Amino acid sequence: MASTPLNPPNAPQSLPQKNFKVDWVKLTLILGVAAYLLLVLVIPLLNVIYQALAGGFPGFWAALQESDFQKAVLLTLLIAVIVVPLNTVFGLCAAWALTRRNFPGRAFLLSVIDLPFSVPSVVAGLMLVLLYGREGWFGPLLQDWDVKIIFAVPGIVLASAFVTMPFVVREVLPVLEDLGKDQEEAARTLGANEWQIFWRVTLPSIRWSVMYGVILTNARTMGEFGAVAVVSGSIAGKTQTLPLYVEEAYKQYQTQASYTAALLLACLALVTLVLKTVLEQQTQTGDE
């Protein structure tokens, strides 16, 4: 007697069952990061937007028309216009010297350039006061020349330049090291001078890292508080930058004016973030 097959040919075959196993460690980490970002970044930012618009658009517009606010914005932009080019030129020169020349003290110079990363910005401001203040090392000399640095725009420029000095150097330095000297040597053997080599060979290869350093420098310059607060004196309408205006307006219970200025700073940071993302995509496209 023939035996009946257990699985006839036309019988529907059972589908393999998938085992859905939840990775609790991964899920916990994701939820933890999301909760942290929510508490530290998203909710405070939403609160700034809410407080800036709490009095309605007329109040928001009135805050933007404040004379001290507009002067603070102009001073902040002026400081950025001065400091960013200075530190860009310095960063390019320093990165080129550190990668293309061997000299004694190279490691020490690199450590000195990194110093603003480790020194608190308030301490940087105090260092400038001890040098250029009325009782500082150069104070009597500056008084004889009728030059005022502390509690004036030059002091704010110096403080902002100090805290933003390493950004361009640190962005350009590794790219120059990876680039090597082969292309520059080839251009030199073809008769190109040093300026032509830099402009036509070196700069196109490091342009995205330079732009990235410039964006970071600009963002830190506009948002710097500690060092600028020490050297500027926060004189309304004269030496008060936008971050100092935010603090002063908040202390004077001008809540909407304070949050309006904070919202403007947040918008500037958002623009910086967008530019940073675009540059990163451009860099990845260039690498591909």
Side-chain angles (χ1 to χ4, degrees):
M1 182 177 180
S3 61
T4 305
L6 296 176
N7 294 320
N10 296 328
Q13 297 181 355
S14 60
L15 296 175
Q17 294 183 353
K18 295 182 179 179
N19 295 325
F20 293 98
K21 186 177 180 181
V22 178
D23 189 343
W24 291 106
V25 176
K26 182 178 179 180
L27 183 62
T28 304
L29 288 175
I30 293 174
L31 292 177
V33 170
Y36 185 80
L37 288 175
L38 197 66
L39 291 174
V40 176
L41 182 62
V42 178
I43 292 178
L45 182 59
L46 292 177
N47 184 50
V48 168
I49 298 173
Y50 172 77
Q51 294 290 346
L53 300 174
F57 186 76
F60 178 79
W61 183 251
L64 293 178
Q65 299 298 315
E66 287 286 337
S67 174
D68 290 343
F69 170 79
Q70 294 179 350
K71 289 179 180 178
V73 172
L74 292 177
L75 180 59
T76 304
L77 294 176
L78 174 64
I79 299 301
V81 167
I82 297 173
V83 170
V84 172
L86 282 177
N87 274 340
T88 301
V89 173
F90 168 78
L92 286 173
C93 294
W96 184 86
L98 288 168
T99 55
R100 297 297 186 262
R101 294 288 184 269
N102 290 322
F103 53 88
R106 180 180 179 277
F108 176 74
L109 177 59
L110 190 58
S111 300
V112 170
I113 292 175
D114 286 340
L115 200 60
F117 282 144
S118 57
V119 173
S121 57
V122 175
V123 176
L126 287 175
M127 290 164 52
L128 293 175
V129 171
L130 291 175
L131 283 178
Y132 303 106
R134 182 181 295 273
E135 304 298 329
W137 289 5
F138 304 122
L141 183 63
L142 292 173
Q143 289 183 34
D144 292 340
W145 290 350
D146 195 21
V147 175
K148 189 174 183 180
I149 292 181
I150 302 301
F151 305 142
V153 173
I156 303 174
V157 171
L158 285 175
S160 301
F162 178 88
V163 298
T164 59
M165 183 173 58
F167 288 107
V168 175
V169 183
R170 273 303 176 186
E171 292 299 327
V172 174
L173 192 64
V175 179
L176 277 178
E177 289 177 341
D178 292 339
L179 185 62
K181 302 179 182 178
D182 294 342
Q183 296 181 14
E184 296 174 2
E185 292 294 338
R188 193 170 287 110
T189 57
L190 293 175
N193 58 36
E194 295 299 325
W195 173 252
Q196 290 173 328
I197 293 173
F198 172 76
W199 191 254
R200 297 182 179 179
V201 177
T202 307
L203 188 58
S205 301
I206 63 174
R207 62 186 185 281
W208 297 120
S209 57
V210 174
M211 287 301 298
Y212 195 63
V214 168
I215 289 173
L216 293 178
T217 303
N218 182 67
R220 180 65 188 273
T221 301
M222 288 188 172
E224 174 57 26
F225 180 84
V228 173
V230 174
V231 301
S232 70
S234 188
I235 305 172
K238 294 182 178 178
T239 62
Q240 196 174 64
T241 59
L242 203 50
L244 300 182
Y245 177 84
V246 173
E247 191 234 8
E248 184 65 24
Y250 187 77
K251 288 197 303 187
Q252 298 298 328
Y253 301 102
Q254 300 173 359
T255 306
Q256 187 164 19
S258 174
Y259 280 104
T260 299
L263 180 59
L264 180 60
L265 280 173
C267 290
L268 293 175
L270 184 62
V271 171
T272 302
L273 182 63
V274 171
L275 290 176
K276 169 180 169 292
T277 305
V278 171
L279 285 178
E280 286 179 345
Q281 292 178 348
Q282 292 287 343
T283 304
Q284 292 173 358
T285 304
D287 293 339
E288 293 173 356

